[in-house]
Amino acid sequence: MAVASQRRCCLAGLGYALLQLSLLARPAAAQTSLGAPDPSNPHRSSTDQRPADLVLLREWTTMEGEFAIGVHGVKPDPRDASARTIVVWVESPGEVKLAVDTLRCGPEAPMRLTRKGSNLLIKELNPGGQITEANRLDHQIWWAACFPEQAGKDPAGLQAQARQLGFSGLLREQQQVLPSNPR
């Protein structure tokens, strides 16, 4: 019981620290639209706008057209050695949206901070644990940010790698939703 209480306290503290990091980087974390096509070149497609270091995590086609999600621009946080930021690239037929996510890479509390609309999502992850369709993208982004040499690989196949890196695979995954303007 005491261990669970200490873990909750530790995670609450880490969540608060990550919230502070995200609030400091808030203008950069807001989603923006690049808006394809480029006004200076109306025939430039969103695939032509892709950065050179973009790692595609998922691509699919619907009746509307081509969609893709990728990541690029991994940067370590100068204030926290276990934190990274990464740009998430969401491409649709008519636009490209960017979001800057913050990730905590240490084995004691791996997590992803991202935005959905005006809400901040804190997603506690379990590297080396079970991968489902519900958590696959979170893990792909986490691996790409924390261990770039594993970027683009299926996280379900990285369980042994996670254990070698010190992750137990036994952490509980959960998500907290924080409104950006609590009243």
Side-chain angles (χ1 to χ4, degrees):
M1 187 65 115
V3 172
S5 177
Q6 285 179 332
R7 184 175 184 278
R8 264 187 256 124
C9 178
C10 178
L11 288 176
L14 291 172
Y16 179 73
L18 286 172
L19 177 60
Q20 286 180 324
L21 285 173
S22 71
L23 292 177
L24 290 173
R26 190 173 182 194
Q31 287 191 348
T32 60
S33 175
L34 293 180
D38 180 350
S40 65
N41 183 357
H43 302 292
R44 186 174 176 200
S45 72
S46 56
T47 57
D48 294 335
Q49 297 179 43
R50 291 178 178 173
D53 66 338
L54 182 69
V55 176
L56 288 175
L57 303 176
R58 196 176 285 177
E59 292 182 273
W60 69 99
T61 304
T62 69
M63 291 175 39
E64 295 176 42
E66 303 285 323
F67 292 80
I69 297 175
V71 291
H72 71 97
V74 177
K75 293 184 181 152
D77 187 309
R79 296 168 297 219
D80 184 349
S82 72
R84 308 278 184 279
T85 60
I86 195 166
V87 177
V88 179
W89 174 280
V90 181
E91 189 177 300
S92 65
E95 66 184 354
V96 174
K97 290 185 179 179
L98 304 176
V100 178
D101 285 6
T102 302
L103 298 105
R104 182 171 224 97
C105 301
E108 57 281 342
M111 62 177 71
R112 175 183 176 210
L113 255 69
T114 189
R115 291 199 170 276
K116 184 172 185 180
S118 64
N119 295 327
L120 178 66
L121 304 178
I122 300 174
K123 298 181 173 198
E124 296 175 28
L125 302 175
N126 180 27
Q130 184 178 5
I131 301 298
T132 66
E133 287 308 307
N135 69 3
R136 184 176 308 279
L137 184 61
D138 291 322
H139 282 268
Q140 287 176 308
I141 292 169
W142 184 87
W143 278 100
C146 297
F147 300 95
E149 65 278 5
Q150 306 300 335
K153 294 182 182 175
D154 183 359
L158 296 173
Q159 291 176 332
Q161 180 72 29
R163 300 254 181 351
Q164 288 175 354
L165 293 168
F167 296 91
S168 69
L170 301 173
L171 299 174
R172 188 172 123 199
E173 291 207 6
Q174 57 187 0
Q175 173 178 297
Q176 297 177 46
V177 179
L178 303 174
S180 64
N181 294 321
R183 294 183 188 229

